[in-house]
Amino acid sequence: MDTRTPAPESSPWLPFESRRRARDEKREAVLRTAVQLFLEQGYHRATLNEVADRLNITKPALYNYFRSKEDILFECWVMGQERVEDRISEIESAHENGLATLRMLVHAYAATMASDFGASLVRFNVADLSEPNQKITLAGKRRIDRAFRNAIKQGIADHSIKPCDVKLTAFAILGALNWIGHWYKPGGELSPDQIADDFAIRLTADIAKRPDKKPSEKKATKPVRKRSTR
Amino acid sequence: MDTRTPAPESSPWLPFESRRRARDEKREAVLRTAVQLFLEQGYHRATLNEVADRLNITKPALYNYFRSKEDILFECWVMGQERVEDRISEIESAHENGLATLRMLVHAYAATMASDFGASLVRFNVADLSEPNQKITLAGKRRIDRAFRNAIKQGIADHSIKPCDVKLTAFAILGALNWIGHWYKPGGELSPDQIADDFAIRLTADIAKRPDKKPSEKKATKPVRKRSTR
DNA sequence: ACTTTTTATTACCCTTGGGTAATATACGCA
DNA sequence: TGCGTATATTACCCAAGGGTAATAAAAAGT
């Protein structure tokens, strides 16, 4: 006999929802721990036992949430990819001119690279993924690449960006950005947002039609925030 | 039973070929094969059995030249590092002004990144090396970094380069360069030397005191060769 | 309270692949 | 032609670690 008042909030599928949420939270906790360990030690040197240890559980418990170690790796990558793609969508739907769009992309991507899941986009080895997952990651990388190239192309078309080789320009910019995932360590002199601000100008200075002021020499003046990251 | 793939022409163990070669040549042949395999499949997925197979020998034979798999990985890294440092020494001893030095550094480093041993500098995971070898690689990376930063500093001092944040500028340039090691595949539209030519200008355009012409838009006109790589 | 479902644990399996011991073969040299 | 050395092979060891089966504990449902 159910003695609870059947208030709208306590409808039969609400407990189910909250339980699902708890499960998702645990899933994400696993990913957060795993991505850190993978970044610290590399995917292969990191063991599932150690992931489990850090979560105060045991290895087989992980298999309630993931099918395999590779699955965990892939999901880490997905987390980073989703963040980036969400921001890209936002930025593109703002319909600014090419240069402004490019700078927002640089800013967003730079900030993401300074996070664990963001770094996982470039620090992990595609060869460690299953064949189908490799395809997915490759498609994702292409979408990011295309976003940058489109912004550059559009900028050339709308005359906010000087004519340039789109492909190489995108490579150069993305390279500088991806590298952040390798050198950034929390607690340095610059916050992710400061780095993002700087790079948004720095990496577009040479192709901008009306050259902006370059980032100040010694971060003396705070660069203009184009947009908050979150 | 014999699943050996046909040996590459470069293998000193080619059947019926003279096996009497200098020890160092064989050592290097191992490294060339290993670095390729490591780049293709990743260090951990690549097995010493497969390295040996490609050389038409068996795994234990490798231990005549190297103490361990990790040793091979490290020596691959050393090969790339030596090339870069040799070029840096040459360039620095030319005593040009800061901007010219920086451009030569960019050119040399870009070209190296488009080679197997060069790519190994950025594609391999430091965590896969022994503690002492990690120290060595770290020191090497620092020397490269310092070379770039010194060139920038000098350029600011001799007024060939605009005042800028030296550290972030170096990070941005090195990032774009390191990324080459990830996207460059032989047989593309651009040769390593063409890429190097382009990047030497592209990555320094925004900080050069007297801005050069940027690389042409569509590689329609062949970029001016600043200097041959070898 | 009793049952069912979810989540965790203990104990184990088993493949993979780096590394080694014993041994054979080729080579350089008298 | 035989000896010493360098180099290679065959056969094997074994630790590491991903993954699973059996089962216990906890939570949810009734």
Side-chain angles (χ1 to χ4, degrees), chain B residues 2-9 11 14-15 53-56:
Chain B
D2 188 0
T3 56
R4 286 179 185 182
T5 49
E9 305 78 38
S11 169
L14 264 176
D53 271 359
R54 289 201 183 183
L55 292 161
N56 289 318

Side-chain angles (χ1 to χ4, degrees), chain B residues 82-223:
Chain B
E82 278 177 354
R83 286 192 195 186
V84 172
E85 296 209 37
D86 286 353
R87 294 288 292 117
I88 289 179
S89 298
E90 276 184 59
I91 290 166
E92 285 182 338
S93 61
H95 292 298
E96 304 249 10
N97 71 34
L99 179 61
T101 302
L102 179 60
R103 282 183 172 161
M104 289 191 285
L105 287 176
V106 170
H107 191 286
Y109 196 78
T112 307
M113 270 302 127
S115 73
D116 284 344
F117 287 122
S120 72
L121 293 181
V122 285
R123 296 272 298 277
F124 296 159
N125 195 175
V126 191
D128 290 327
L129 295 172
S130 68
E131 192 64 46
N133 284 345
Q134 286 190 25
K135 288 248 175 67
I136 296 172
T137 59
L138 209 66
K141 282 181 202 298
R142 265 200 301 267
R143 282 195 299 277
I144 293 176
D145 205 56
R146 195 164 39 211
F148 278 78
R149 291 192 196 188
N150 283 344
I152 296 168
K153 270 185 224 158
Q154 194 206 321
I156 297 174
D158 66 26
H159 301 98
S160 58
I161 292 178
K162 297 180 200 165
C164 60
D165 181 313
V166 174
K167 193 170 110 182
L168 283 182
T169 302
F171 274 156
I173 291 176
L174 278 167
L177 292 173
N178 286 331
W179 192 235
I180 295 174
H182 283 89
W183 58 259
Y184 175 76
K185 297 280 179 299
E189 303 177 19
L190 294 176
S191 70
D193 207 64
Q194 286 175 311
I195 294 168
D197 282 336
D198 182 291
F199 271 47
I201 301 301
R202 178 184 300 280
L203 301 182
T204 58
D206 58 329
I207 58 171
K209 221 23 171 306
R210 217 177 59 69
D212 265 71
K213 264 160 211 55
K214 306 265 309 312
S216 63
E217 169 172 11
K218 260 301 183 189
K219 76 169 195 270
T221 68
K222 182 174 299 206

Side-chain angles (χ1 to χ4, degrees), chain A residues 174-188:
Chain A
L174 278 166
L177 291 173
N178 286 330
W179 192 236
I180 295 173
H182 284 89
W183 58 258
Y184 175 76
K185 298 282 180 299

Side-chain angles (χ1 to χ4, degrees), chain A residues 149-214:
Chain A
R149 293 192 195 187
N150 283 344
I152 296 168
K153 270 185 224 159
Q154 195 207 320
I156 297 173
D158 65 28
H159 301 98
S160 58
I161 292 179
K162 297 181 201 165
C164 59
D165 183 313
V166 174
K167 193 171 109 183
L168 284 182
T169 302
F171 274 157
I173 292 175
L174 278 166
L177 291 173
N178 286 330
W179 192 236
I180 295 173
H182 284 89
W183 58 258
Y184 175 76
K185 298 282 180 299
E189 303 178 20
L190 294 176
S191 71
D193 207 66
Q194 285 174 310
I195 295 169
D197 282 337
D198 182 291
F199 271 47
I201 301 301
R202 176 184 302 279
L203 300 181
T204 58
D206 58 328
I207 58 171
K209 224 15 173 310
R210 217 177 59 69
D212 265 72
K213 265 162 212 51
K214 304 267 308 315

Side-chain angles (χ1 to χ4, degrees), chain B residues 20 48 59-60 63 68-69:
Chain B
R20 306 163 48 206
L48 291 186
K59 180 176 60 174
Y63 284 81
S68 66
K69 190 186 185 187

